[in-house]
Amino acid sequence: MRVPLSWLREYVDLPAGESGRDVAAKLVDAGLEVETVEQLGGGLKGPLVVGQVLTIEELEGFRKPIRFCTVDVGSANGTGEPQEIVCGARNFAVGDKVVVVLPGAVLPGDFAIASRKTYGKTSHGMICSGEELGMGDDGTHGIIVLPPEHETGTDAIELLQLVDEVLHIDVTPDRGYCMSLRGIAREVATAYGLPLRDPALLDVPPPNSYGYPVKIDDPAGCDRFTARTVTGLDPEARSPIWLQRRLQKAGMRPISLAVDITNYVMLELGQPLHAYDRSRIDGTIGVRRAEQGEKFTTLDGVKRTLDAEDLVITDNSGPIGLAGVMGGANTEIADSVTDPETGAVTGTTDVVIEAAHFDSVAISRTARRMKLSSEASKRFERGVDPLAAAAAAQRTVDLLVLLAGGTAEAGVTEVIAPGAPRTIAMAADHPDRVAGMDYGRETVVRRLQEIGCDVYGQDELVVTLPSWRPDLAAPNDLAEEVIRLEGYGNLPSTLPQVPSGRGLTARQQLHRRVGRALAGAGYVEALSYPFLGEGVFDQLQLPAHDAARQVVKLVNPLSDEEPALRTTLLPGLLGALRRNDSRGSHDLALFETGSVFRAAAQPGVAVRLPVDRRPTDEEIGTLDAALPAQPRYAAVVLAGAREQAGWWGKGRPADWADAVQAARALAVEAGTELVVRQGQYGPWHPGRCAELVVTVDGVEQVIGHAGELHPRVVKAMGLPARTSAMELDLDRLAAAGGEAVQAPRISSFPVATQDVALIVDASVPASSVEAALRKGAGELLESLRLFDVFTGEQVGEGKKSLAYALRFRASDRTLTAEESTAARDAAVALAGERTGAVLRGA
């Protein structure tokens, strides 16, 4: 919302020396977000005056049309002689009043004006356009042509109100009343302790039976509709300069007098309005829901297909307006047209003014569905004062009569759905308890009255809410109003008392160790949004029955394309990898730890917890039961080179083994044993996928997968070739390891190393052989490592050779060769018994 300070001063008598920055500081203290204070006319220096074009000479022989003009600027040039000026614009004629800047002046942007020779003539100044003066777009992109009543030599800086300050206010959704000068002025008046001249306090005639007929078929969607009629408008009437300048400063482009007036009143009072050409309305105006698939052409010339939830304004011919969003092309105000033969001017002379109040949810849904955000819809979405409709209609009528020479018809239509004022019961000391300081009843009552509330009662207050504050719905909302007006800076800063002896939980410690371990291994942490679209499951090739497809959907998603909470970390990480690869970073290793969300079989209903007291255990339990399960996951993705080439060697690309090793590193941090065996799941290549298994309470559990992604997944998601990934459930990994990580046992006795090469069937997993070796070797085995896999004629068709290094050590003695050999033989024997392994060469 752009708020010109000069316009704001009409409603509040600010101190004469108060600047825009001073006002902005007050509004920020009151809880509003003032982004910037724009200085209009900064560096502007005259003379800048009104001139009248006396002659125009067309200069020939140039690539573009050039005109040599003489302009009467009165005595502003010190001589009274006509000023000679070269100009390329063509939207003015002899006799027109224009804006002239004379030599010695400085325009915005530090553009100094001087006499100069150009196109064979000497130009003593410049005829100005609105853009050159920093006025913004007036729709013509040409020279400013002023009304004929302004005298030559008049100071144009004051006439065009070029020097001003404009506050840029970011209005949050709960402060809809601040989408108007009236609302901002109320906040300023309260902040300064000054009276407010409310522009909505107008004498409005009561409704009667001879106004324009209106029928409301959906009172829930439209609970108030005011219609007024003005006839006899002058089609040649134009918006005066003051009106155009206020619209421009507020960020709107002047269009035509009737439209400009409705926009002006909307900015002033916050009530969107619409003006219909009465001659184009066929019968009674109605408000109803659209028929599914109904067609309608809006003012922007786009033919739109309506939904059954859309509110429309109708007449006997069908829809004539999209309620609260945009009017229809078939009833818009007609531009004035001059007959070239007779000189007669035709255009809209009779208008019907609509000032209505629509349901904010219905307008918001329509605007989003149509992707048609208008100034009107922005206000209705945030909440419009329903009682301002009649005053806004009256203000529009008054301006049309004043500026367009129209006549207001006596008929006043006002259709109102029954309703009652909203009230809230609140303890007088409730704001004290929320803020943690003593305001007292008198301060609470005074502050609530300042925002427009009527307050009754002593210890228990009954507060009648103002019609322009739909955001006030509970005692805490009223407490917030008291606190912000008393000043957030006055709240005491009290640090919570932290009980001694409490630190990070075991779960938190594990998450930190995991992050440090992956960062130490060369991975970069990438945080992604916890939202996804269900189409990504098809890209990952997950089967239709997969549990990951059971998502929790949001009622109000940030993006319609990602309406669900994630059930896997991979889409976000792979998206980050794809973006970085497309920007030239090809050697990538990323990781993320975070929650995923698992939908319950029977979704619960969340309760609204109180904030003025600690919720009961039952209330907290009910809320927890309604939440989806949120296990903590860890994932990594890799592409490109894992080790860079250089003088030290050739380097190597990242592959599936790196993803598996990342899982092993996390198992070490959790203090548990991770079993890695061949698997097949979703996005991973079926021949290069490892299944990650831990044992919890004696039961094996698959907690994740690692390996190279399937080529079809790589292609579908636009990833680099041979991309690898790993994902596992951190919570189940932690459950397998226990709370405390055991420190490694250090022995002063030497290690005994025994190597074995076993031949097994090619279908036997190495993990099965390894498990058997560990079991058979017994307590003396310190570590076991697979260091070679071989296939070929030497071992036979359908066979493979697995070479292991076994390290034996005792904690109390030096092992003899016989002891280590016996342990090795026992390990080989059990491996042979369980997997059919035989010693190579035996």
Side-chain angles (χ1 to χ4, degrees):
M1 178 71 185
R2 293 167 55 96
V3 180
L5 189 61
S6 59
W7 193 355
L8 188 63
R9 288 182 182 274
E10 284 200 2
Y11 313 121
V12 184
D13 289 326
L14 294 171
E18 206 73 357
S19 69
R21 295 189 180 279
D22 297 329
V23 176
K26 289 282 190 179
L27 290 176
V28 169
D29 288 342
L32 294 180
E33 298 181 20
V34 182
E35 294 183 337
T36 59
V37 178
E38 182 181 359
Q39 302 289 330
L40 299 184
L44 178 63
K45 177 184 175 184
L48 186 72
V49 299
V50 176
Q52 183 172 23
V53 180
L54 301 178
T55 64
I56 298 177
E57 177 188 350
E58 301 289 345
L59 301 182
E60 304 293 340
F62 300 101
R63 286 182 298 176
K64 61 179 181 179
I66 297 297
R67 312 169 96 185
F68 180 66
C69 311
T70 59
V71 185
D72 178 14
V73 294
S75 60
N77 58 4
T79 64
E81 296 295 324
Q83 200 79 1
E84 296 179 339
I85 299 175
V86 176
C87 184
R90 309 192 64 80
N91 67 313
F92 63 94
V94 172
D96 283 346
K97 297 288 181 68
V98 294
V99 177
V100 179
V101 58
L102 301 177
V106 179
L107 294 184
D110 199 24
F111 181 29
I113 303 299
S115 297
R116 64 190 182 96
K117 190 170 183 179
T118 180
Y119 297 102
K121 300 287 186 179
T122 300
S123 182
H124 301 280
M126 189 169 69
I127 302 174
C128 298
S129 68
E131 293 178 348
E132 290 166 336
L133 298 178
M135 295 172 58
D137 180 19
D138 61 358
T140 66
H141 298 289
I143 294 302
I144 300 171
V145 178
L146 299 171
E149 63 266 19
H150 297 291
E151 295 184 6
T152 58
T154 302
D155 182 7
I157 294 178
E158 182 177 351
L159 175 67
L160 298 178
Q161 305 172 23
L162 297 178
V163 180
D164 202 350
E165 294 181 274
V166 179
L167 282 69
H168 293 245
I169 301 175
D170 184 12
V171 180
T172 53
D174 62 329
R175 302 280 184 194
Y177 67 98
C178 287
M179 295 286 286
S180 67
L181 268 293
R182 180 195 185 200
I184 297 297
R186 179 176 285 107
E187 290 294 323
V188 170
T190 302
Y192 280 90
L194 296 171
L196 169 70
R197 287 188 291 275
D198 190 344
L201 294 180
L202 301 174
D203 290 331
V204 179
N208 49 54
S209 58
Y210 42 95
Y212 198 93
V214 174
K215 181 183 179 183
I216 308 297
D217 292 331
D218 191 340
C222 176
D223 57 5
R224 185 178 294 263
F225 195 108
T226 300
R228 300 289 299 275
T229 305
V230 181
T231 59
L233 300 180
D234 180 4
E236 292 186 279
R238 297 291 179 267
S239 300
I241 291 176
W242 66 266
L243 178 57
Q244 294 187 45
R245 289 297 294 133
R246 286 191 169 177
L247 291 177
Q248 288 174 326
K249 291 177 185 179
M252 302 188 75
R253 180 171 62 87
I255 298 174
S256 64
L257 179 58
V259 175
D260 290 350
I261 288 175
T262 57
N263 286 336
Y264 176 84
V265 175
M266 177 184 68
L267 292 171
E268 184 179 52
L269 301 181
Q271 169 67 52
L273 301 110
H274 190 72
Y276 300 94
D277 187 329
R278 183 177 179 179
S279 65
R280 297 184 176 187
I281 302 178
D282 180 12
T284 300
I285 292 177
V287 181
R288 61 169 171 82
R289 299 283 175 171
E291 298 175 4
Q292 187 67 38
E294 194 171 10
K295 305 293 183 181
F296 170 64
T297 303
T298 46
L299 278 173
D300 55 3
V302 178
K303 190 171 185 179
R304 303 182 185 275
T305 302
L306 303 181
D307 188 90
E309 289 188 357
D310 296 330
L311 272 174
V312 291
I313 313 298
T314 65
D315 63 4
N316 292 339
S317 66
I320 60 173
L322 199 55
V325 180
M326 185 174 286
N330 54 345
T331 57
E332 69 175 317
I333 303 297
D335 295 331
S336 60
V337 178
T338 303
D339 190 309
E341 296 181 359
T342 64
V345 179
T346 59
T348 298
T349 58
D350 301 339
V351 298
V352 175
I353 305 300
E354 165 210 310
H357 183 262
F358 301 110
D359 175 55
S360 60
V361 174
I363 303 305
S364 176
R365 288 176 175 172
T366 297
R368 287 191 180 190
R369 186 184 305 110
M370 299 285 186
K371 294 182 172 58
L372 188 62
S373 179
S374 64
E375 292 294 331
S377 68
K378 291 177 185 176
R379 286 164 172 80
F380 280 120
E381 288 172 8
R382 288 165 170 79
V384 170
D385 181 5
L387 300 187
Q394 182 63 45
R395 178 75 164 135
T396 305
V397 168
D398 293 343
L399 289 173
L400 284 172
V401 171
L402 175 66
L403 302 178
T407 301
E409 287 195 351
V412 177
T413 302
E414 194 165 3
V415 180
I416 304 174
R422 297 177 301 120
T423 61
I424 295 176
M426 179 186 74
D429 63 347
H430 181 68
D432 300 2
R433 290 185 280 113
V434 172
M437 62 183 299
D438 186 14
Y439 291 120
R441 179 188 178 279
E442 291 185 4
T443 299
V444 171
V445 171
R446 174 172 57 84
R447 289 303 190 183
L448 293 179
Q449 289 174 339
E450 286 176 350
I451 66 171
C453 297
D454 291 329
V455 185
Y456 305 95
Q458 292 298 318
D459 294 338
E460 188 72 19
L461 303 179
V462 178
V463 183
T464 302
L465 306 176
S467 57
W468 57 84
R469 293 299 301 272
D471 58 301
L472 303 180
N476 289 320
D477 298 328
L478 300 180
E480 180 186 0
E481 293 299 301
V482 174
I483 294 168
R484 75 176 182 89
L485 294 178
E486 282 296 302
Y488 290 121
N490 296 325
L491 291 176
S493 297
T494 305
L495 294 176
Q497 298 296 319
V498 180
S500 60
R502 294 187 182 181
L504 298 178
T505 64
R507 187 171 186 256
Q508 292 169 331
Q509 291 174 349
L510 173 61
H511 296 161
R512 292 198 177 185
R513 292 199 305 273
V514 163
R516 285 195 295 266
L518 291 175
Y523 291 86
V524 176
E525 186 171 18
L527 301 178
S528 56
Y529 287 111
F531 313 115
L532 52 75
E534 293 180 85
V536 76
F537 298 131
D538 295 329
Q539 294 178 327
L540 293 175
Q541 296 192 133
L542 296 185
H545 60 275
D546 195 283
R549 288 183 176 269
Q550 307 304 313
V551 297
V552 178
K553 291 188 176 180
L554 300 172
V555 175
N556 55 340
L558 294 179
S559 169
D560 292 337
E561 296 178 355
E562 295 181 330
L565 292 172
R566 67 187 179 192
T567 55
T568 168
L569 301 180
L570 290 181
L573 267 183
L574 293 174
L577 184 139
R578 180 178 61 247
R579 285 191 299 275
N580 283 275
D581 181 71
S582 67
R583 295 169 184 170
S585 297
H586 304 303
D587 303 327
L588 297 162
L590 308 177
F591 84 92
E592 181 175 10
T593 62
S595 297
V596 299
F597 304 84
R598 299 293 188 182
Q602 296 293 331
V605 179
V607 297
R608 187 169 184 174
L609 298 181
V611 296
D612 57 340
R613 60 174 175 82
R614 184 191 183 281
T616 65
D617 293 340
E618 182 181 356
E619 290 172 330
I620 296 175
T622 303
L623 179 62
D624 287 341
L627 296 177
Q630 301 175 44
R632 187 91 169 181
Y633 272 41
V636 304
V637 293
L638 306 98
R642 184 61 175 144
E643 294 179 3
Q644 296 292 333
W647 58 265
W648 52 85
K650 295 182 179 180
R652 68 173 183 85
D655 61 16
W656 62 269
D658 294 301
V660 173
Q661 183 56 35
R664 293 186 186 276
L666 301 193
V668 171
E669 296 299 328
T672 187
E673 181 179 341
L674 184 70
V675 177
V676 178
R677 62 194 182 200
Q678 186 175 4
Q680 184 173 345
Y681 176 68
W684 280 277
H685 191 297
R688 300 179 185 135
C689 175
E691 191 174 70
L692 309 176
V693 180
V694 294
T695 301
V696 180
D697 297 331
V699 179
E700 285 192 347
Q701 295 186 9
V702 177
I703 64 167
H705 294 82
E708 183 181 314
L709 295 182
H710 198 289
R712 284 199 291 268
V713 174
V714 169
K715 182 179 179 180
M717 303 191 74
L719 303 172
R722 309 298 293 269
T723 296
S724 298
M726 180 278 293
E727 184 177 38
L728 58 75
D729 187 331
L730 268 183
D731 288 344
R732 287 197 285 171
L733 181 68
E739 293 188 1
V741 178
Q742 296 296 320
R745 186 178 61 183
I746 299 175
S747 174
S748 61
F749 296 97
V751 66
T753 303
Q754 296 274 3
D755 293 345
V756 295
L758 302 177
I759 297 176
V760 296
D761 291 338
S763 61
V764 175
S767 60
S768 299
V769 178
E770 181 178 330
L773 289 173
R774 287 185 182 277
K775 182 71 173 176
E779 295 181 355
L780 295 179
L781 182 66
E782 182 178 79
S783 68
L784 173 67
R785 181 174 63 89
L786 174 67
F787 66 86
D788 184 56
V789 179
F790 176 77
T791 58
E793 294 180 0
Q794 293 90 333
V795 297
E797 185 177 354
K799 301 288 186 177
K800 62 183 176 182
S801 172
L802 304 176
Y804 291 92
L806 292 80
R807 292 167 57 93
F808 298 97
R809 194 193 312 256
S811 61
D812 57 350
R813 68 189 186 279
T814 298
L815 291 177
T816 65
E818 290 77 11
E819 287 178 306
S820 61
T821 301
R824 182 204 64 180
D825 293 343
V828 171
L830 187 59
E833 179 184 333
R834 291 188 175 183
T835 66
V838 297
L839 275 173
R840 184 174 176 181

